[in-house]
Amino acid sequence: MKRVTRRIGDASARRPWVTIASWLAALALVLPLAGLAGGSFVDDLVAPGSQSEAAMELLEERFPEASGGNAMAVFAAPEGDRIDRHRPAIEAAVARIAEVEHVATVTDPFTAGTVSPDGRIGFAQVAFDVPTMDVKPEQIDALSGAIEPVRGDGVVAELGGDTVFINAETPTSGAEAAGLLAALVILVVAFGTIVAALVPIALALVAVTAGLGGITLLAHAMDVSTAAPTIGAMIGLGVGIDYALFIVARYRENRAAGQDNSTALSNAMGSSGAAVLFAGGTVVVAMTALALTGLGFLTSIGLSTSLVVLLAVATALTLLPALLSLLGDRIHKGRRRGSRTRRVKKPESPENPEDPENTAWWRFAHRVSGRPWPYLLAASAALLVLALPALRMETGFPDAGNDATSTTHRRAYDLLAEGFGPGFNAPLLIVADLRSPGVDAEGIPELSRRLADDPGIASVGEARISAAGDTVVLPTLPTTAPADAATSHTLERIRDVVPDNVAVSGLTAMTDDLTRQLADTLPVFIAAIIVVSFLLLMLVFRSIAVPLKAAVVNLLSIGGAYGVVVAVFQWGWLGRLFNLDETLPIASPLPTIFFAVLFGLSMDYEVFLLSRVREEYDATGDTTESVARGMAATGRVITSAALIMTVVFLSFVVNPSPLVKMMGLGLATAIVLDATIVRMVLVPAAMALMGRATWWLPRPLDRRLPRIGTEGADVPPPPEPALAADRQ
């Protein structure tokens, strides 16, 4: 692996302008192509093999009129007023809605009786002739334009319903730019020069820009979740900056040790470059493992994020050495006032240009190693306390009522709940297949009565029968909101009492099935990632104890992050600090996405720290001293990287989307825990207790496993043509 990354870096550095031009050409090709041929984003909320999927497939086959997407144009008069006083304006809006492409039918609130008892709120039911997933943003925009004139008459007009909610784009907050600015400040402090700080930012932006273009093209070939671009950008910015940071830091360390520009760069690519390749690979493996859930929207998030991470690795291994070869000593330009760039003219050791005993990291590592048990127990206890709230985690799929009040579907949701009750936003479709044994046409009235007798059901609508008379649909409204746990219990009771040829569907049933499938697959998913990560770390570090320790401490830090998210969002602790007006259930996709992202990212710091520790151990044979020297060599860089990821992730906490907001806080918390309690306390304490057993690997296994090391002592590369910076 070291040879591969060294050769890639050397080739890019020898032809810097060709490398830069290649990246510019790639961007010039991908971005316009994404604009022309890219698809739109949509959430595929179907749980394969579920009852709700079977019911929807039955409707699409036999009763397409009942399987199309639906929306609601909601109208509300001012307090103390009635909407019938604005009837001409509303009826004109209904007429305009009927002319929108793919609108099959639209009801008039006044003739259909869809006006609230107090007469202030009403809605027009809009039915499309295509499924919800096939409704385009253009049709939603046309609906919005159709109701806009009503607002001029003093009436509140909003768009709601499943189709509008599912096809809504995930909004952005603009705070991401502030996160990048904070990252730049951290890099300036870490490197002491503006030029060195700008390089990682530039590379991350290139990777994310190309990645978002690629995600848009991916949406042309498959259904891609509306959250995929935001999550991909979030992770891409973090790892893109960090990967470049690690290589630039090692390159500048080599330069400070007296190596010439070409040797320093080649050695950095052979050591830190290999670590970047492995770290990025672990993130990709963890994210693509989301496909194990069998859920389309999670698979699309995994593939999209993997694409951005791969591009971040590619820019670090190719574009970065090209830029560094051109910059040469100019990377020290723009030095901030009061900073000093280390220059060692005659280092005693190329690997240690600065005495590690002069660093706080070295001293703290020895302090922990001197009393490992107290530090190990205290750190573990702290993480376990933080993780305790996760034991009371309540998950639910986000609905329109969880979105920001700035969105039209959230405002429509609130108006419908106010006028018709909370269950109005959680409609169920009871689908009877009359061709199968069970209830027949004569038994439908009795089935309707049995459903209405359930305490969780508010009303059962009039039965709709297909043209062939073989399929019946009973629109049913529960008494509780979509994400309410009581709605899930009602759904479970209904499914237990209906005959075998009756199934329950609708968006509420579909998301409930998704939540159940996520809960069932999460243990398998976690086990798969841990096993693969264990094997990869065992291959790299030639050890049994290292990957075992990594799995345990990563689970502790992830558990702590889960607990913080539950305390803030579900229990409401510090809710105002995060602009939360109400408590929320934890979004059911979050634990799965969260684990994939965090386990992959935590491996970054694991690899960079332990690869340096292993390098020192190979040189000294002293476990305690190698840990101390490894922490001394990487402490400042890992801390800077963690701070950068933290501020980038926290910038997403102000995003209006609850899923993105939870992701931002949880990821930031996990990174802080991982870079402080885990890397500074748990790792040195555990390795001090294990001693030489840290690097033990059975000899038969050692002989059979391939060698793919990530980092080692710098070795001067073979003579090659001078790099551009050396010729200047």
Side-chain angles (χ1 to χ4, degrees):
M1 188 182 295
K2 290 182 288 186
R3 290 181 180 179
V4 171
T5 55
R6 185 191 293 274
R7 288 175 179 173
I8 293 173
D10 290 347
S12 301
R14 282 196 300 271
R15 300 175 180 84
W17 290 114
V18 173
T19 303
I20 294 172
S22 299
W23 275 100
L24 291 176
L27 288 174
L29 176 65
V30 169
L31 297 182
L33 189 60
L36 293 173
S40 56
F41 301 108
V42 64
D43 288 307
D44 178 9
L45 302 181
V46 175
S50 65
Q51 187 183 112
S52 58
E53 181 194 37
M56 291 306 297
E57 289 178 348
L58 180 67
L59 290 178
E60 290 174 7
E61 177 186 350
R62 301 187 197 168
F63 202 172
E65 304 94 310
S67 67
N70 62 84
M72 283 177 280
V74 185
F75 307 98
E79 290 290 343
D81 197 358
R82 299 174 59 89
I83 62 168
D84 55 10
R85 297 181 184 177
H86 307 272
R87 185 165 183 167
I90 293 174
E91 289 179 338
V94 170
R96 289 190 294 270
I97 291 173
E99 298 174 357
V100 173
E101 184 181 11
H102 290 303
V103 170
T105 60
V106 56
T107 62
D108 186 319
F110 304 104
T111 58
T114 53
V115 178
S116 63
D118 62 0
R120 194 177 76 84
I121 300 171
F123 67 90
Q125 183 78 43
V126 182
F128 294 93
D129 58 12
V130 293
T132 293
M133 304 300 181
D134 294 335
V135 177
K136 304 298 183 185
E138 294 78 19
Q139 278 92 59
I140 304 297
D141 292 340
L143 291 181
S144 181
I147 65 173
E148 179 61 33
V150 181
R151 297 185 175 116
D153 200 45
V155 176
V156 174
E158 305 293 350
L159 283 179
D162 297 344
T163 299
V164 177
F165 169 59
I166 291 176
N167 290 282
E169 296 286 344
T170 300
T172 58
S173 63
E176 295 84 357
L180 282 178
L181 181 61
L184 178 60
V185 172
I186 295 169
L187 286 169
V188 170
V189 173
F191 286 138
T193 72
I194 295 176
V195 174
L198 285 173
V199 169
I201 296 286
L203 260 69
L205 289 176
V206 170
V208 170
T209 301
L212 291 178
I215 293 172
T216 305
L217 290 174
L218 183 65
H220 179 77
M222 62 179 291
D223 289 334
V224 175
S225 170
T226 55
T230 304
I231 295 175
M234 181 193 308
I235 306 304
L237 286 174
V239 300
I241 294 173
D242 277 8
Y243 293 164
L245 167 63
F246 286 124
I247 294 177
V248 171
R250 189 63 184 258
Y251 163 72
R252 295 179 80 235
E253 179 184 332
N254 292 342
R255 292 287 283 152
Q259 298 178 15
D260 62 79
N261 190 59
S262 60
T263 302
L265 180 53
S266 183
N267 284 335
M269 296 307 300
S271 54
S272 292
V276 164
L277 180 59
F278 179 77
T282 59
V283 177
V284 170
V285 168
M287 294 308 299
T288 54
L290 287 172
L292 294 175
T293 63
L295 301 178
F297 79 100
L298 281 184
T299 300
S300 71
I301 289 175
L303 294 178
S304 299
T305 305
S306 296
L307 175 61
V308 181
V309 173
L310 283 173
L311 288 168
V313 172
T315 57
L317 297 183
T318 59
L319 186 56
L320 178 58
L323 292 175
L324 293 179
S325 71
L326 290 174
L327 288 171
D329 288 336
R330 289 191 293 273
I331 198 170
H332 301 301
K333 283 192 174 182
R335 191 162 52 215
R336 65 183 176 88
R337 183 174 300 178
S339 69
R340 294 183 300 171
T341 302
R342 285 188 299 133
R343 293 182 180 275
V344 182
K345 295 182 179 180
K346 295 181 180 180
E348 295 182 5
S349 169
E351 291 79 25
N352 299 296
E354 186 178 81
D355 186 355
E357 296 183 17
N358 292 331
T359 65
W361 309 102
W362 185 90
R363 292 190 293 271
F364 187 77
H366 271 286
R367 183 179 305 168
V368 173
S369 299
R371 302 182 63 193
W373 277 115
Y375 280 99
L376 181 69
L377 294 176
S380 300
L383 291 175
L384 288 173
V385 168
L386 287 175
L388 283 177
L391 298 176
R392 305 294 298 274
M393 181 185 294
E394 297 176 1
T395 60
F397 207 90
D399 59 35
N402 300 136
D403 274 355
T405 54
S406 58
T407 59
T408 185
H409 55 270
R410 167 62 191 272
R411 293 194 294 267
Y413 178 100
D414 291 340
L415 288 172
L416 290 171
E418 178 186 348
F420 304 94
F424 195 85
N425 289 299
L428 303 174
L429 291 180
I430 312 300
V431 183
D433 178 7
L434 301 185
R435 294 184 187 177
S436 300
V439 67
D440 54 18
E442 289 74 20
I444 295 297
E446 175 60 25
L447 174 63
S448 179
R449 284 192 294 272
R450 288 171 59 190
L451 293 172
D453 289 340
D454 189 282
I457 297 299
S459 65
V460 180
E462 184 178 350
R464 299 176 60 190
I465 305 175
S466 64
D470 57 1
T471 307
V472 176
V473 176
L474 290 172
T476 304
L477 294 177
T479 58
T480 49
D484 195 318
T487 305
S488 181
H489 296 322
T490 298
L491 180 60
E492 188 175 354
R493 289 196 305 273
I494 289 175
R495 284 176 165 169
D496 285 341
V497 300
V498 296
D500 292 339
N501 67 331
V502 176
V504 185
S505 190
L507 182 61
T508 300
M510 292 168 65
T511 54
D512 189 81
D513 288 339
L514 281 174
T515 299
R516 293 176 186 274
Q517 182 160 333
L518 284 167
D520 292 340
T521 58
L522 183 59
V524 177
F525 174 76
I526 290 175
I529 290 184
I530 291 176
V531 169
V532 172
S533 300
F534 182 94
L535 294 175
L536 288 174
L537 286 175
M538 183 175 65
L539 284 173
V540 170
F541 294 111
R542 323 299 296 179
S543 167
I544 296 292
V546 165
L548 184 61
K549 171 196 63 65
V552 173
V553 298
N554 287 344
L555 288 174
L556 285 174
S557 63
I558 292 172
Y562 278 166
V564 170
V565 170
V566 169
V568 171
F569 289 92
Q570 185 177 310
W571 295 355
W573 294 5
L574 302 177
R576 291 186 178 180
L577 180 63
F578 298 98
N579 197 29
L580 295 177
D581 298 326
E582 57 186 352
T583 58
L584 302 170
I586 304 306
S588 55
L590 183 118
T592 305
I593 299 175
F594 208 44
F595 190 88
V597 174
L598 285 179
F599 211 89
L601 293 181
S602 64
M603 287 299 175
D604 288 358
Y605 302 144
E606 186 81 17
V607 169
F608 283 107
L609 172 59
L610 291 185
S611 58
R612 197 60 178 263
V613 171
R614 183 60 195 246
E615 178 182 335
E616 298 291 343
Y617 179 79
D618 289 340
T620 65
D622 186 330
T623 300
T624 300
E625 184 63 21
S626 65
V627 172
R629 288 179 176 270
M631 288 183 63
T634 61
R636 184 175 65 171
V637 178
I638 288 181
T639 300
S640 300
L643 283 173
I644 289 168
M645 275 204 180
T646 300
V647 297
V648 168
F649 292 153
L650 284 178
S651 69
F652 285 85
V653 171
V654 297
N655 189 289
S657 167
L659 177 60
V660 175
K661 191 186 290 283
M662 291 178 189
M663 284 282 294
L665 177 61
L667 291 176
T669 302
I671 292 300
V672 170
L673 295 176
D674 199 70
T676 54
I677 297 178
V678 171
R679 300 294 161 234
M680 293 179 62
V681 181
L682 283 180
V683 169
M687 294 182 75
L689 289 171
M690 291 186 294
R692 290 183 176 272
T694 300
W695 309 109
W696 176 77
L697 184 69
R699 287 186 179 180
L701 191 59
D702 187 35
R703 287 194 298 268
R704 288 175 172 79
L705 292 177
R707 297 186 178 275
I708 54 171
T710 59
E711 190 160 353
D714 291 335
V715 178
E720 293 176 342
L723 301 182
D726 296 329
R727 293 194 295 266
Q728 296 175 355

